[in-house]
């Protein structure tokens, strides 16, 4: 990353992209479950970094990946908010919008859809906390740093996310 | 089964969530796109220069005595070489010493 920043080294940038794209695509998808949108988010984040590499402050001690999670998460939130205003869709609607027919969904893994829907119904910050800590495997400290909150606040979000999931999944046939 | 005891099975349930594969070769797309885009910001040359100067000054400060001494020696040699240009017009040290008595005489002394 330092080579990208100081020398505009395209080779180094390519290595960075090859190494991290899948990981951040998954993170973006979990925030906004639409393949095309998740790809756009990751592409936008990397191109932003390429155009303005100085936005990463290497002296702030944050790991590049931690910092980049923040960029991807913020872009996903922006996208979700913009889309909410125009469409008002929830997670499942997005999955259906994702080029899949009802028949496809019937045949797809029902459980995966139910869980996806339950997670997407969580409030935004609880969903981010859950995604970062459970799915991305980040420590509470790293997740708190990404969300710009304290560790205690993050733990509280996680607790509420768990309770919210309990409610959202209640009564679902498994 | 009814999912009432989510605490017990939470991890198992959450792991049912899947991320589909990317539709396109995203890495390739990003790299290609970045090649087409010119970096709008210039590299911070001023910052780099200041950092280099600071590094140099810091390197002269102890505990790098060997480097400090060698830099002093190098600076001394450079200055010495410049001051040597005073005698460069003379072919030898003897010529330089004799410079004072070297004058043209084209007649008798008396």
């Amino acid at each position: 990353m330092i080579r990208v920043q100081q020398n505009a080294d395209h080779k180094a940038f390519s290595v960075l992209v090859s190494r991290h794209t899948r990981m951040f695509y998954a993170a973006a998808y979990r925030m906004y479950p639409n393949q095309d949108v998740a790809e756009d988010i990751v592409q936008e984040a990397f191109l932003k970094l390429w155009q303005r590499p100085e936005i990463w402050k290497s002296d702030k001690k944050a790991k590049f990946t931690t910092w980049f999670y923040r960029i991807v998460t913020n872009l996903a939130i922006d996208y979700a908010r913009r889309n909410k205003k125009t469409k008002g869709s929830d997670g499942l609607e997005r999955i259906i919008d994702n080029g899949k027919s009802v028949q496809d969904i019937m045949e797809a893994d029902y459980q995966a859809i139910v869980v996806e829907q339950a997670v997407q119904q969580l409030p935004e910050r609880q969903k981010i906390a859950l995604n970062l800590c459970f799915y991305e495997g980040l420590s509470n400290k790293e997740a708190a740093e990404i969300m710009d909150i304290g560790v205690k606040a993050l733990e509280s979000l996680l607790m509420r996310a768990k309770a919210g999931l309990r409610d959202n999944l209640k009564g679902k046939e498994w | 089964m009814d999912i009432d005891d989510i605490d017990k099975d939470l991890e198992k349930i959450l792991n049912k969530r899947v991320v589909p594969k990317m539709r396109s070769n995203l890495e390739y797309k990003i790299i290609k796109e970045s090649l087409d885009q010119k970096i709008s910001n210039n590299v911070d040359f001023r910052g780099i220069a200041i950092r280099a100067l600071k590094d140099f000054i810091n390197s002269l400060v102890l505990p790098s005595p060997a480097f400090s001494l060698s830099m002093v020696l190098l600076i001394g040699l450079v200055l010495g070489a410049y001051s040597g240009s005073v005698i460069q017009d003379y072919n030898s040290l003897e010529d330089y010493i004799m410079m004072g008595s070297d004058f043209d005489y084209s007649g008798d002394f008396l």
Side-chain angles (χ1 to χ4, degrees):
Chain A
M1 183 51 220
I2 290 168
R3 276 170 61 193
V4 174
Q5 199 172 41
Q6 291 186 348
N7 310 321
D9 186 340
H10 193 265
K11 218 172 183 178
F13 176 73
S14 304
V15 171
L16 210 64
V17 170
S18 308
R19 198 176 289 169
H20 299 299
T21 296
R22 279 166 204 278
M23 184 170 90
F24 289 115
Y25 161 76
Y29 183 86
R30 286 185 187 112
M31 281 300 298
Y32 198 97
N34 177 302
Q35 285 162 285
D36 293 332
V37 172
E39 287 188 17
D40 284 350
I41 287 168
V42 176
Q43 181 167 345
E44 193 181 331
F46 272 116
L47 290 179
K48 212 172 240 185
L49 177 69
W50 173 243
Q51 287 173 311
R52 297 186 57 215
E54 79 280 1
I55 57 176
W56 183 59
K57 306 284 180 205
S58 58
D59 54 340
K60 280 197 171 172
K61 286 183 181 175
K63 265 167 52 185
F64 166 73
T65 47
T66 308
W67 172 80
F68 204 68
Y69 266 121
R70 192 178 197 158
I71 303 286
V72 170
T73 304
N74 286 342
L75 283 174
I77 291 168
D78 285 348
Y79 201 95
R81 283 179 186 166
R82 274 204 309 268
N83 202 44
K84 212 172 203 173
K85 276 178 193 165
T86 54
K87 283 181 84 179
S89 62
D90 67 17
L92 189 60
E93 276 175 318
R94 278 184 223 139
I95 293 168
I96 296 168
D97 284 346
N98 205 11
K100 290 178 181 173
S101 67
V102 176
Q103 183 65 35
D104 286 340
I105 292 167
M106 295 283 278
E107 289 167 5
D109 189 345
Y110 168 77
Q111 292 176 337
I113 292 171
V114 168
V115 176
E116 186 66 57
Q117 191 182 26
V119 173
Q120 293 303 329
Q121 281 172 352
L122 291 174
E124 190 177 87
R125 288 167 74 76
Q126 291 177 25
K127 188 169 69 178
I128 297 169
L130 181 78
N131 283 340
L132 293 174
C133 293
F134 185 79
Y135 291 105
E136 307 306 329
L138 299 176
S139 67
N140 286 6
K141 193 173 167 240
E142 284 172 316
E145 198 180 307
I146 290 167
M147 295 183 71
D148 210 12
I149 55 175
V151 176
K152 291 269 177 211
L154 179 98
E155 284 167 358
S156 162
L157 282 174
L158 286 172
M159 288 294 289
R160 279 185 277 151
K162 209 163 117 178
L165 281 172
R166 186 189 292 124
D167 289 343
N168 295 343
L169 290 168
K170 200 171 267 179
K172 293 277 192 300
E173 285 297 322
W174 209 239
Chain B
M1 89 178 173
D2 259 3
I3 305 164
D4 288 329
D5 192 4
I6 196 166
D7 286 347
K8 198 176 158 192
D9 292 323
L10 184 64
E11 197 172 323
K12 217 168 111 186
I13 292 165
L14 288 178
N15 278 326
K16 301 276 183 193
R17 200 178 174 205
V18 288
V19 174
K21 281 185 182 172
M22 291 183 282
R23 282 191 173 151
S24 59
N25 188 347
L26 187 57
E27 291 98 332
Y28 175 78
K29 248 170 75 180
I30 295 170
I31 292 166
K32 191 176 172 293
E33 189 79 21
S34 65
L35 272 175
D36 297 340
Q37 289 187 2
K38 211 176 166 188
I39 297 179
S40 60
N41 82 301
N42 291 321
V43 179
D44 183 11
F45 289 114
R46 193 168 164 267
I48 292 170
I50 290 169
R51 235 176 294 147
L53 187 66
K54 276 182 184 171
D55 287 347
F56 175 73
I57 291 166
N58 286 339
S59 68
L60 290 177
V61 177
L62 290 175
S64 309
F67 184 70
S68 308
L69 278 174
S70 60
M71 286 309 297
V72 169
L73 192 66
L74 191 69
I75 292 166
L77 281 172
V78 170
L79 290 176
Y82 274 107
S83 64
S85 63
V86 174
I87 59 167
Q88 71 186 2
D89 295 336
Y90 303 95
N91 292 328
S92 67
L93 185 63
E94 197 180 345
D95 285 347
Y96 178 64
I97 293 165
M98 294 301 288
M99 168 181 73
S101 57
D102 188 17
F103 58 91
D104 287 336
Y105 175 68
S106 55
D108 294 331
F109 279 100
L110 295 173

